Amino acid sequence: MAESVPQHAHCQMCGKSIPYGETLCSEECKQKYQKLLRRRKLIVYLMYGMLAALIVFFVLYGK
Ligand SMILES: [Zn+2]
């Protein structure tokens, strides 16, 4: 089996072909990706906060 396409990956932000082992193609995409990760983390924290508030609510008023 001949390998015509060398192993490569795609940029997680824009989908451009990049060397295998890389996840992002440029500094611009890296910054965008970091922003995305930060926002996702914020949403996770928000969800945990809401869950905690819900639990506190049920503990205090659920009797
Ligand atoms: Zn990119």
Side-chain angles (χ1 to χ4, degrees), residues 8-42:
H8 69 283
H10 290 277
C11 174
Q12 304 238 336
M13 286 308 297
C14 66
K16 234 162 85 173
S17 287
I18 46 173
Y20 185 73
E22 302 278 325
T23 49
L24 298 158
C25 70
S26 65
E27 204 52 46
E28 199 190 324
C29 278
K30 237 173 253 185
Q31 275 167 14
K32 272 190 212 164
Y33 189 64
Q34 289 299 320
K35 221 181 270 182
L36 201 85
L37 282 187
R38 264 203 298 270
R39 200 178 301 164
R40 203 175 291 173
K41 222 184 266 181
L42 206 76

Side-chain angles (χ1 to χ4, degrees), residues 37-55:
L37 282 187
R38 264 203 298 270
R39 200 178 301 164
R40 203 175 291 173
K41 222 184 266 181
L42 206 76
I43 289 169
V44 169
Y45 286 145
L46 221 74
M47 263 160 53
Y48 276 127
M50 264 154 64
L51 205 71
L54 215 70
I55 288 166

